[in-house]
Amino acid sequence: MDLEPETRSSKIKRQAKDGIRGNLDHFWKIQEYNQKTFRQQPLPEISGAFGDIGTLLPIIIAYIGINPESGIDLSSTLVFTGLFNIFTGLLFGIPLPVQPMKAIAAVALSRQFDMEEVAAAGMIVAVGVGILSVSGLLDWFNRRIPVPVIKGIQLGVGISLVTYGGSIFIKRDEYLLLYPGLPELLQVVAFVGFLASNVFRRLPFALMLLFLGILVALPSLISHPKTLGIWHPHPFVPLTARSYQPGLDAGLGQIPLTILNSIIAVSALSADLLPTVPTPSPTAIGLSVTVMNLIGCWFGSMPVCHGSGGLAAQYRFGARSGASVIFLGLIKLLLGLFAGRFAANLLQAIPNAILGIMLIAAGLELANVGETLNTAEARDISEDKEGLVVTSPSQDRSNTSARGDLTSERRKRRWTTMLITVGGIIAFKNDAVGFVAGMLCHRSYQLYDRYSWRRSARQGTIRLEDDSHRP
């Protein structure tokens, strides 16, 4: 009798050791993959590291401009986003971006939030996403979203990035107006380079554009005073009675965007783009978002998340492993620690033509995933010797054959669901609206099939072979 507690205890210890050993083995395999990939293609990895600056820089620059004295702390943002880049690269082994939370940024910019109010919004999102992650609701939610809706979110966000990138691309930089013809020349060079990078995929396009942008921007920085200096952190309590309501106003709109585009869509996209690398689960990505903001917001760093657009951008420009974002993280960390103000001046001077074309390229790469909706590359479809088969139990099969073949009617329905999701996102500029529209479309098809099946059953025309596929 006395041995039973010891036996149970030893079993628990053994299971814990096995779990730790398995996690360590997985971690070291990721590091081997990162090192191997960087050794094989250093330039594409470095180029891909900067693929997301078209999304990152406009929001950072806007944050700096809204409230120079009490807005976000750029040095803290660079330090903490740099650390987060390094840790996500080490833990996940994919070029997972660290991006601003766009819905929070939109509210903060329009209402002139100060540092405390911006941080409060980030904390509220972190707590909400953390609860969903720990409870397992994120994985449950992910399993029940149809693939056409997920791809619709990715396609909609991609088109939105292209549109936003185009608006930045044609916008003239005031300091370049002193040099007639230079803005137009930059636009031509950037666009020709973009076309060339579609043919020569291993061309370090993002790296070349970044160097060109810095080269053009440097003369405008000559008049700036010396701005080097060591970062001095100033921690504060981000969530107070004063900042709670503004933070709640901005944070509530961000939560659905984070769940859909920063967690679920990122997990699905990483499986599409990097099928040979272990795909991070929605729970793991959600916990990553939670930890980043629970730490950074205490020091005035802007609220951040991951994003499918950033992942597509870094992949588009060559990144294939976590080594790319580790490299980017080191650059950010050094700039934040020693040259935060200089970095702010430099980032504000990078030409719009450079930022715009990078956003366009990133958006097109993300939109391309919609092409695989009705192919074997979709996660709910497999291929055998007789053709494509719907394999996901969450997908309704009443318009497939008895073995679950993907018929022309099913293809049309999946395509329509994806396009309705895209339409909601673009028309209302809101991922949540597109998601709801796509889910309603998908559900309407299911309800119609259920009605048709019951009507056929009452008339006695239902075939026995289809009985196993009753909706």
Side-chain angles (χ1 to χ4, degrees):
M1 296 294 292
D2 293 336
L3 294 178
E4 185 176 354
E6 296 180 0
T7 303
R8 290 179 179 175
S9 176
S10 62
K11 183 179 180 180
I12 293 174
K13 289 180 180 179
R14 178 172 54 79
Q15 291 176 341
K17 289 180 180 179
D18 290 342
I20 294 172
R21 189 179 299 112
N23 289 332
L24 286 175
D25 289 343
H26 176 71
F27 177 79
W28 291 119
K29 285 179 181 178
I30 288 177
Q31 306 325 308
E32 290 176 7
Y33 171 74
N34 286 340
Q35 294 174 19
K36 179 181 177 182
T37 305
F38 194 82
R39 286 197 301 266
Q40 290 176 344
Q41 51 162 40
L43 275 182
E45 288 293 303
I46 294 173
S47 176
F50 298 100
D52 191 33
I53 65 172
T55 304
L56 180 69
L57 294 192
I59 295 180
I60 287 184
I61 292 170
Y63 264 131
I64 295 171
I66 61 167
N67 211 334
E69 298 301 323
S70 58
I72 68 162
D73 187 326
L74 180 65
S75 294
S76 293
T77 295
L78 290 172
V79 167
F80 284 102
T81 58
L83 290 172
F84 300 149
N85 277 132
I86 293 170
F87 286 124
T88 53
L90 291 172
L91 293 175
F92 297 118
I94 62 174
L96 194 62
V98 175
Q99 299 180 316
M101 289 187 175
K102 299 178 183 62
I104 289 179
V107 176
L109 294 175
S110 64
R111 293 174 53 178
Q112 300 282 300
F113 277 10
D114 60 24
M115 185 189 303
E116 187 178 299
E117 292 167 333
V118 173
M123 291 290 288
I124 288 172
V125 174
V127 172
V129 172
I131 292 172
L132 293 174
S133 301
V134 172
S135 65
L137 287 174
L138 277 180
D139 279 325
W140 177 88
F141 193 56
N142 180 54
R143 289 193 299 269
R144 281 155 180 79
I145 300 179
V147 168
V149 175
I150 293 177
K151 289 194 176 292
I153 293 170
Q154 294 169 333
L155 178 56
V157 173
I159 294 174
S160 298
L161 284 176
V162 172
T163 305
Y164 181 53
S167 67
I168 292 179
F169 183 75
I170 62 176
K171 186 178 180 182
R172 303 298 177 86
D173 300 275
E174 291 185 5
Y175 74 94
L176 291 181
L177 297 178
L178 300 174
Y179 309 95
L182 183 57
E184 292 81 5
L185 178 62
L186 275 176
Q187 290 173 336
V188 171
V189 170
F191 186 71
V192 170
F194 165 66
L195 294 179
S197 71
N198 287 319
V199 179
F200 305 100
R201 300 290 288 190
R202 295 184 66 85
L203 190 71
F205 179 53
L207 195 60
M208 295 166 65
L209 279 181
L210 183 63
F211 280 143
L212 176 61
I214 291 174
L215 186 64
V216 173
L218 280 177
S220 67
L221 300 180
I222 295 177
S223 60
H224 284 79
K226 182 180 178 181
T227 51
L228 300 180
I230 298 176
W231 172 60
H232 297 287
H234 300 286
F236 64 95
V237 177
L239 201 55
T240 64
R242 185 187 70 84
S243 64
Y244 172 77
Q245 190 58 51
L248 188 65
D249 293 343
L252 286 180
Q254 178 67 48
I255 289 176
L257 179 63
T258 297
I259 293 172
L260 296 173
N261 184 50
S262 302
I263 298 175
I264 292 175
V266 164
S267 181
L269 183 64
S270 65
D272 288 339
L273 298 180
L274 300 163
T276 60
V277 184
T279 302
S281 68
T283 295
I285 298 175
L287 289 173
S288 175
V289 172
T290 299
V291 172
M292 288 192 300
N293 290 285
L294 288 180
I295 296 175
C297 288
W298 287 81
F299 296 87
S301 174
M302 70 178 179
V304 292
C305 58
H306 305 300
S308 56
L311 176 57
Q314 291 172 327
Y315 180 90
R316 167 64 178 78
F317 293 116
R320 296 295 184 272
S321 75
S324 62
V325 289
I326 292 173
F327 178 85
L328 176 63
L330 291 172
I331 299 296
K332 285 183 181 179
L333 185 60
L334 290 174
L335 284 175
L337 288 175
F338 303 110
R341 191 64 249 170
F342 172 79
N345 295 332
L346 178 62
L347 296 181
Q348 288 176 301
I350 291 180
N352 288 323
I354 304 297
L355 300 177
I357 202 67
M358 295 185 75
L359 271 175
I360 291 172
L364 291 175
E365 186 68 32
L366 180 57
N368 276 337
V369 302
E371 180 187 8
T372 64
L373 174 66
N374 290 323
T375 70
E377 294 181 40
R379 72 180 186 185
D380 62 335
I381 296 176
S382 64
E383 186 174 11
D384 62 17
K385 61 182 179 181
E386 298 184 38
L388 298 178
V389 183
V390 178
T391 58
S392 173
S394 67
Q395 298 296 316
D396 176 62
R397 287 185 174 182
S398 40
N399 279 296
T400 62
S401 69
R403 59 185 291 274
D405 294 333
L406 190 65
T407 63
S408 59
E409 176 65 18
R410 171 59 64 191
R411 292 173 187 270
K412 183 178 179 180
R413 288 186 173 192
R414 289 165 63 89
W415 184 255
T416 301
T417 301
M418 182 178 74
L419 289 184
I420 286 179
T421 305
V422 172
I425 291 173
I426 295 175
F428 294 92
K429 298 182 179 179
N430 190 310
D431 288 15
V433 173
F435 168 74
V436 172
M439 290 298 295
L440 289 175
C441 177
H442 175 76
R443 185 59 178 165
S444 68
Y445 285 137
Q446 289 183 322
L447 291 174
Y448 175 77
D449 290 337
R450 182 171 299 178
Y451 166 75
S452 299
W453 188 91
R454 289 179 176 175
R455 185 179 60 180
S456 299
R458 285 197 301 270
Q459 295 173 353
T461 58
I462 192 71
R463 293 180 301 175
L464 291 176
E465 68 176 17
D466 289 333
D467 192 56
S468 61
H469 301 296
R470 176 177 175 176

